[in-house]
Amino acid sequence: MRLATVRTTDGTRAARLEGDRLLLLRAPDVGALLASMNSTSRMDTTAALEATGEIVFADASFAPLLPRPEKIFCVGLNYRAHILELSRELPSYPTLFAKFASGLIGAHDDLVLPSVSNAVDWEVELGVVIGRRIRRGTLGQAHDAIAGFTIVNDVSMRDWQGRTTQYLQGKAFDASTPVGPVLVTGDEIGDAADLEVRCELDGIVMQRGRTSDLLFGPAAVVSYISQFTTLCPGDLISTGTPGGVGAGRNPQVFLEPGQVLTTAIEGIGSCVNRCVPEKG
Ligand code: ZN
């Protein structure tokens, strides 16, 4: 199943992809839909997925897939090849930082380059969406708690990220992180264990990796985080990025107004975001 959150004249709605149509559901977004499906009986799940209208996928305006996650976690350095190319030791524990809901944008929204940063960079990442509440979960329980997968670009302001040893300020800018366009559930995509992840700038491939290279895979990260905080339906975990970011190039390359950033994952689709300057 493929789920999206789309903008309508009456606010956002969760939607289910059926062929080239998005069937509009009652829930206002995918996070609310997952929460309702988690708390109701199977019959209510059927009602939650019942169509109340439809729009053509190609005409849809996508909101952030999860407009209001209670928690958003990101994993730093998680692709083996990328860690080794940086001549670092493979870590024993995942590096984690957080983002806020205000940082998320839709899959086709303009990416506004903040006037206060000169080093806006890209990071294609597999996004894990939580479907069931989980606390202190085993690997198996973590696997069962994952609703499915989406695409995230953990757009990073490197000049701010590098000001201190904590990543947060370079990662938590308003409206900087594309998420979507769809959530692909586990029945369709399995464990997302070996998918190509790719980032293109104006059609030129900048990053290419495979999720099989993840040091801490989706279930491992979910299980680990659940040891210290409860994960809830609609929470989002971005699993880290492979090599090829702009800051790692010689010379360095950063995003400029007018460029188009494409963030793609095999079997899920792509986010396509045009870079625009901040007004005023
Ligand atoms: Zn990242």
Side-chain angles (χ1 to χ4, degrees), residues 80-101:
R80 284 187 197 85
H82 183 44
I83 297 169
L84 296 174
E85 106 192 336
L86 295 172
S87 305
R88 301 206 195 179
E89 303 248 317
L90 295 179
S92 304
Y93 304 103
T95 297
L96 297 171
F97 56 92
K99 279 182 186 275
F100 307 108

Side-chain angles (χ1 to χ4, degrees), residues 75 97 123 125 154 171:
V75 184
F97 56 92
E123 293 193 353
E125 306 197 1
D154 174 23
K171 301 283 194 173

